[in-house]
């Protein structure tokens, strides 16, 4: 059984602790957080002192990317595997440790919302084959989809995730504002959104793309633009429409 300590109780730290508690292959021995407060439904020892962490095989650091350098200095006394969970931070960020690696959950995570980690893909990387195998074992104990990803692959995947998740959700915000202004319940959009996601399981994004920009329906595009009052939304509509048109070899 692999002994694991999770440092941090934010979005990722909280859900990793809950997932490890329910794993028969992992012994979660401790959670560090600045408040020293226990995570709900996670019966494990808690500390707010980085200098007195219990001995573990693996220490998973879930702090922000900007805090990794500072934390590395504080944790330099540790002799286990030290891991970060960032998509955009290279493996070398922890090179001051003899054994280091990455466990990257490929998911948008909010600690107040439930998540089934078994369905969350996890990318792993280690600085040695032994470290990599240990991290694979940890990831497979909580996820059914584990991939070996080097730092460059992980960075590209993180960029893709921003497009697929963060940017698309910003579009939902625009759609919700437009609906609200017209007295329309945004939930009427959910079957459309769900249908698009479902189609992506059997087709490529290019095959799924529809709309006036793809059809080069200039009449509808101009009608939309003339009815969008918010200048930011109008500019966004123009830019995205132009990008789709250019991708499909058409011009407005």
């Amino acid at each position: 059984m692999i002994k694991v300590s999770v440092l941090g109780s934010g979005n990722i730290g909280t859900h990793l602790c809950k997932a490890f508690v329910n794993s028969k292959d992992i012994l979660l021995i401790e959670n560090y957080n600045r408040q020293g407060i226990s995570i709900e439904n996670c019966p494990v020892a808690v500390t707010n002192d980085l200098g007195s962490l219990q001995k573990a095989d693996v220490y998973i650091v879930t702090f922000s990317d900007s805090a990794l350098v500072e934390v590395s200095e504080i944790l330099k006394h540790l002799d286990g595997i030290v891991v970060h969970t960032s998509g955009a931070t290279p493996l070398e960020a922890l090179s001051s440790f003899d054994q280091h690696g990455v466990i990257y959950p490929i998911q948008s995570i909010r600690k107040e919302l439930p998540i089934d980690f078994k369905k969350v893909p996890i990318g792993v990387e280690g600085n040695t084959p032994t470290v990599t195998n240990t991290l694979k074992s940890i990831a497979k104990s909580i996820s059914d989809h584990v991939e070996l990803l080097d730092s460059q692959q992980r960075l590209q995947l993180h960029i893709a995730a921003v497009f697929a998740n963060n940017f698309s959700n910003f579009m939902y915000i625009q759609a919700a504002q437009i609906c609200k202004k017209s007295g329309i319940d945004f939930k009427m959009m959910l079957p459309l959104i769900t249908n698009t996601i479902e189609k992506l399981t059997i087709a490529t994004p290019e095959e799924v793309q529809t709309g006036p920009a793809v059809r080069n329906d200039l009449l509808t595009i101009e009608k939309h633009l003339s009815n969008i009052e918010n200048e930011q939304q109008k500019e966004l509509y123009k830019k995205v429409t132009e990008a789709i048109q250019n991708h499909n070899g058409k011009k407005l």
Side-chain angles (χ1 to χ4, degrees), residues 15 41-42 50-51 64 71 74 79 84 110 115 121 127 133 144 148 171 174 187 216 223 240 242:
H15 282 291
N41 298 322
C42 187
L50 285 174
S64 65
V71 168
I74 298 174
D79 60 1
H84 74 67
R110 296 289 296 271
I115 186 171
N127 72 312
N133 288 334
D144 290 333
L148 294 179
M171 294 299 184
Q174 308 312 305
K187 290 182 179 179
N216 202 31
K223 185 180 293 184
V240 176
E242 182 180 356

Side-chain angles (χ1 to χ4, degrees), residues 91-104:
L91 174 69
E92 289 73 23
L94 296 175
S95 60
S96 58
F97 300 96
D98 291 338
Q99 300 180 91
H100 55 279
V102 183
I103 293 179
Y104 171 47

Side-chain angles (χ1 to χ4, degrees), residues 8-207:
S9 60
N11 296 323
I12 294 178
T14 293
H15 282 291
L16 279 179
C17 282
K18 291 181 178 180
F20 289 143
V21 161
N22 294 317
S23 170
K24 60 181 176 55
D25 300 313
I26 301 297
L27 176 60
L28 179 64
I29 62 171
E30 190 172 36
N31 171 245
Y32 162 86
N33 63 75
R34 285 177 294 182
Q35 293 77 28
I37 299 174
S38 296
I39 295 173
E40 185 177 1
N41 298 322
C42 187
V44 64
V46 180
T47 182
N48 61 358
D49 182 5
L50 285 174
S52 62
L53 295 174
Q54 296 184 48
K55 183 171 176 53
D57 299 313
V58 180
Y59 300 87
I60 302 179
V61 182
T62 66
F63 302 150
S64 65
D65 296 1
S66 59
L68 280 177
V69 175
E70 178 183 353
V71 168
S72 294
E73 181 63 24
I74 298 174
L75 299 178
K76 62 183 179 181
H77 63 286
L78 299 178
D79 60 1
I81 301 172
V82 180
V83 175
H84 74 67
T85 60
S86 171
T89 303
L91 174 69
E92 289 73 23
L94 296 175
S95 60
S96 58
F97 300 96
D98 291 338
Q99 300 180 91
H100 55 279
V102 183
I103 293 179
Y104 171 47
I106 307 161
Q107 183 63 270
S108 178
I109 297 175
R110 296 289 296 271
K111 66 179 179 180
E112 65 271 16
L113 299 177
I115 186 171
D116 182 0
F117 245 102
K118 282 294 182 182
K119 298 178 181 179
V120 176
I122 296 179
V124 301
E125 182 181 16
N127 72 312
T128 70
T130 300
V131 170
T132 298
N133 288 334
T134 299
L135 300 186
K136 282 173 61 178
S137 297
I138 292 174
K140 287 181 178 180
S141 75
I142 59 174
S143 171
D144 290 333
H145 188 177
V146 177
E147 297 284 345
L148 294 179
L149 299 174
D150 63 31
S151 294
Q152 183 59 24
Q153 289 175 314
R154 197 170 59 254
L155 175 59
Q156 293 301 316
L157 186 59
H158 193 260
I159 294 170
V162 169
F163 273 95
N165 180 60
N166 304 132
F167 288 177
S168 64
N169 191 74
F170 184 70
M171 294 299 184
Y172 300 152
I173 292 173
Q174 308 312 305
Q177 290 176 350
I178 292 170
C179 287
K180 183 178 180 180
K181 186 172 183 180
S182 299
I184 301 169
D185 187 350
F186 174 71
K187 290 182 179 179
M188 291 185 68
M189 302 290 296
L190 296 183
L192 174 64
I193 295 170
T194 301
N195 179 254
T196 300
I197 300 301
E198 290 175 346
K199 285 189 290 188
L200 288 173
T201 64
I202 59 173
T204 68
E206 288 200 22
E207 292 169 333

